[in-house]
Amino acid sequence: MSDHNQSLWLNTCRELVEPSVSTGDITVDLAVIGGGYTGCSAALTAAKAGASVCLLEAHDIGHGGSGRNVGLANAGLWLPPVEIRAHLGDMVGDRLVDLLAAAPSEVFSLIDQHGIDCEPVRNGTLHCAHSAAGLRDLQVRHAQLSAAGAPVELLSAELTAQRTGSAAFGGVLFDPRAGTIQPLAYVRGLARAGVEAGALVSTQDPVQSMQQMDGIWVLKTARRTVRAKWVIQATNAYHCDLTALAPAYVPVYYFQYATAPLSDNLRASVLPGDEGCWDTDLIMTSFRMDQEGRFIIGAMGDLDQAGGGIHKRWIKRKLAQLYPQLADQPLVEGWHGRIAMTSDHIPKITQIGPNALSVHGFSGRGIGPGTVFGRLVAQSLLQDDPSLLPVPAVPEYQEKWIGLRRAYFETGAALTHFVKARF
């Protein structure tokens, strides 16, 4: 049976981060729980600011969604700016829109600054219209993003075919701010940079309990006790133990498959500009190339559930529909990851105690927003300035009908793929 936790990214990652903690108890300024984009960004930020930091990861750096990501370093959230403002108000909404518009620049700047070996390609992304309704959605997004100052372009069907190498789309929204990365290598590069800046990193070390005593947080693992003035919990959809502090979200699975490296002739016919892509379908499809010329395609679905076989049959058909010349290419890698979805698709910051914040809910947009949120949450705690937070912290956050909505998403994806795999 395939291990769908073993991603292509794990097999091709060239970034290494050695745990910098052996044994014994530790006292630091900041304890970070979780070694994904948010946690590693926070640890790096705090260490560069001169604070003592310990990052505790239950598995390996990037074990969760950060290491299973599609690798699209996009600007913004799934929501267009008008909807973000509707949820947050104009002042907070405008600030979040501006912060996340600059998120790709922050990501690629960190890559350059710290020499992160993560296959960075900043040639933009293409949001592809799969239907007439999808094209209308892109027209709305184009108008809103342009009004907010984003340098996006809406391309015709003819130009879309040239840019994608596929005749399947009626248009695309091109965002030159964005790009692609090897997502696991990026997060491990952030962790490695944090260690170089002085942060302590302990992997395979899940936090089992956490409480505040005399103004100091006391975190216990099976191997050590960590005492810290400040705590950032950045476990997102891969929270372990600490059930009382588990973030509330709807788990949504997203899977990907990859081909072997394509021949030069085939490679030249697919995404000649190396943009990363996703479409406007309700059950979204993403596709991109990696540095070695593998074509990577993915969609919503859990490969370990009963619909796993349906998802794979559908993805092979989808590949042939998008690129008939790739129809005979075997899919040699398959993996999936868990996304923390919130009802409004806006990330949440929760005040889990004095000087302690939890961050979660990127709804599939973890690379740029996670990097930005990690930096700003760390700066907010170190400077005792809540106004630095990208969104206000709330005392608690809850989601309703989590189990039913999880089943709804997975059943909907499986049924959609079942029908489309047959016709």
Side-chain angles (χ1 to χ4, degrees), residues 129-349:
H130 80 291
S131 66
L135 183 57
R136 290 192 295 272
D137 177 59
L138 292 186
Q139 291 167 342
V140 171
R141 289 175 180 269
H142 176 259
Q144 292 190 21
L145 288 167
S146 296
V152 294
E153 298 178 59
L154 191 62
L155 305 183
S156 67
E158 181 180 0
L159 287 175
T160 294
Q162 294 175 16
R163 296 288 282 270
T164 63
S166 173
F169 304 109
V172 298
L173 185 62
F174 170 60
D175 190 339
R177 301 170 295 177
T180 62
I181 59 173
Q182 210 277 30
L184 177 60
Y186 171 61
V187 70
R188 288 190 173 176
L190 287 179
R192 187 255 304 159
V195 171
E196 291 171 351
L200 302 175
V201 172
S202 183
T203 58
Q204 306 295 328
D205 201 8
V207 177
Q208 298 174 337
S209 68
M210 173 177 142
Q211 61 179 325
Q212 194 178 50
M213 301 174 61
D214 299 324
I216 297 295
W217 285 101
V218 180
L219 290 69
K220 292 187 179 294
T221 77
R223 293 157 52 187
R224 73 186 81 257
T225 296
V226 176
R227 292 175 172 83
K229 178 180 179 180
W230 303 295
V231 172
I232 296 173
Q233 178 179 284
T235 53
N236 207 36
Y238 285 80
H239 187 82
C240 299
D241 300 323
L242 292 177
T243 54
L245 298 176
Y249 63 90
V250 178
V252 175
Y253 281 77
Y254 198 89
F255 71 91
Q256 297 176 77
Y257 278 95
T259 68
L262 302 179
S263 67
D264 289 344
N265 286 340
L266 286 176
R267 176 68 188 88
S269 70
V270 177
L271 294 173
D274 280 335
E275 300 95 343
C277 306
W278 75 102
D279 68 18
T280 54
D281 204 346
L282 180 62
I283 306 297
M284 185 193 80
T285 303
S286 63
F287 51 100
R288 57 164 295 193
M289 304 295 299
D290 78 347
Q291 191 174 68
E292 299 300 319
R294 299 175 184 87
F295 185 81
I296 303 159
I297 184 168
M300 187 185 298
D302 184 346
L303 296 180
D304 286 339
Q305 294 297 312
I310 293 171
H311 296 317
K312 185 172 185 180
R313 289 191 294 274
W314 170 81
I315 208 76
K316 288 179 69 70
R317 182 178 177 86
K318 185 70 173 181
L319 175 63
Q321 289 174 341
L322 293 177
Y323 297 100
Q325 68 270 39
L326 303 185
D328 294 332
Q329 293 293 311
L331 297 172
V332 296
E333 304 271 1
W335 70 97
H336 64 191
R338 193 162 59 243
I339 294 169
M341 188 80 71
T342 61
S343 296
D344 57 10
H345 307 297
I346 294 175
K348 307 302 174 190
I349 300 176

Side-chain angles (χ1 to χ4, degrees), residues 14-15 111 116-121 180-186:
R14 294 189 294 269
E15 274 287 347
I111 291 168
I116 299 175
D117 189 0
C118 65
E119 305 178 17
V121 178
T180 62
I181 59 173
Q182 210 277 30
L184 177 60
Y186 171 61

Side-chain angles (χ1 to χ4, degrees), residues 103-121:
S105 291
E106 184 164 334
V107 169
F108 286 100
S109 176
L110 287 168
I111 291 168
D112 290 342
Q113 181 181 351
H114 298 286
I116 299 175
D117 189 0
C118 65
E119 305 178 17
V121 178

